[in-house]
Protein backbone atom coordinates (compact mmCIF):
# COMPACT_ATOMS: atom_id res chain seq x y z
CA UNK A 1 0.00 0.00 0.00
CA UNK A 2 1.26 3.47 -0.90
CA UNK A 3 1.67 6.02 1.82
CA UNK A 4 0.52 9.58 1.28
CA UNK A 5 4.16 10.67 0.94
CA UNK A 6 4.79 8.07 -1.80
CA UNK A 7 1.70 9.22 -3.70
CA UNK A 8 2.68 12.89 -3.43
CA UNK A 9 6.22 12.06 -4.62
CA UNK A 10 4.84 10.15 -7.63
CA UNK A 11 2.50 13.03 -8.55
CA UNK A 12 5.39 15.50 -8.42
CA UNK A 13 7.39 13.30 -10.84
CA UNK A 14 4.68 12.99 -13.49
CA UNK A 15 5.41 14.43 -16.91
CA UNK A 16 3.29 14.85 -20.01
CA UNK A 17 4.15 12.55 -22.91
CA UNK A 18 2.67 12.34 -26.40
CA UNK A 19 2.87 8.78 -27.69
CA UNK A 20 1.72 7.09 -30.89
CA UNK A 21 -0.21 3.86 -30.71
CA UNK A 22 -2.06 1.80 -33.31
CA UNK A 23 -5.86 1.95 -33.21
CA UNK A 24 -7.50 -1.48 -33.48
CA UNK A 25 -9.81 -1.83 -36.46
CA UNK A 26 -12.85 -2.62 -34.26
CA UNK A 27 -12.19 0.14 -31.68
CA UNK A 28 -15.06 2.38 -30.62
CA UNK A 29 -15.29 4.89 -27.79
CA UNK A 30 -17.49 3.80 -24.91
CA UNK A 31 -17.51 5.86 -21.74
CA UNK A 32 -14.89 8.20 -20.35
CA UNK A 33 -11.63 8.82 -22.19
CA UNK A 34 -8.75 9.40 -19.74
CA UNK A 35 -6.46 11.08 -22.29
CA UNK A 36 -6.36 13.73 -24.99
CA UNK A 37 -6.48 11.72 -28.20
CA UNK A 38 -6.13 12.64 -31.86
CA UNK A 39 -6.75 9.79 -34.30
CA UNK A 40 -5.57 9.95 -37.89
CA UNK A 41 -6.16 6.83 -39.94
CA UNK A 42 -5.10 3.87 -37.84
CA UNK A 43 -2.73 5.78 -35.53
CA UNK A 44 -3.58 7.69 -32.37
CA UNK A 45 -1.53 10.49 -30.85
CA UNK A 46 -2.25 10.19 -27.13
CA UNK A 47 -1.26 12.74 -24.48
CA UNK A 48 -0.60 10.91 -21.21
CA UNK A 49 0.62 12.04 -17.79
CA UNK A 50 3.06 9.40 -16.54
CA UNK A 51 6.35 8.91 -14.71
CA UNK A 52 8.13 7.68 -17.86
CA UNK A 53 7.63 7.42 -21.60
CA UNK A 54 7.45 3.64 -21.29
CA UNK A 55 4.61 3.94 -18.76
CA UNK A 56 2.80 6.41 -21.01
CA UNK A 57 3.12 4.04 -23.98
CA UNK A 58 1.82 1.12 -21.91
CA UNK A 59 -1.14 3.07 -20.54
CA UNK A 60 -2.16 4.31 -24.01
CA UNK A 61 -1.78 0.86 -25.60
CA UNK A 62 -3.75 -0.76 -22.76
CA UNK A 63 -6.58 1.75 -23.20
CA UNK A 64 -7.04 0.83 -26.86
CA UNK A 65 -6.63 -2.94 -26.32
CA UNK A 66 -8.94 -3.18 -23.30
CA UNK A 67 -11.80 -1.04 -24.62
CA UNK A 68 -14.43 -3.17 -26.41
Amino acid sequence: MNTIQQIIHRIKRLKQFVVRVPVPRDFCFDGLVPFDIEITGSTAMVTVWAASEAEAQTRARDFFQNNP
Side-chain angles (χ1 to χ4, degrees), residues 4-59:
I4 291 175
Q5 290 299 326
Q6 290 170 321
I7 294 169
I8 290 171
H9 181 69
R10 175 170 164 70
I11 291 169
K12 286 181 178 180
R13 289 188 1 235
L14 293 179
K15 298 177 186 167
Q16 190 176 44
F17 295 93
V18 178
V19 295
R20 292 178 190 217
V21 294
V23 178
R25 180 172 285 214
D26 60 345
F27 179 80
C28 67
F29 290 100
D30 184 25
L32 296 175
V33 178
F35 313 112
D36 288 335
I37 300 174
E38 180 180 329
I39 298 175
T40 304
S42 62
T43 303
M45 298 284 290
V46 185
T47 303
V48 182
W49 284 93
S52 68
E53 188 170 357
E55 178 188 346
Q57 188 77 35
T58 299
R59 291 182 61 206

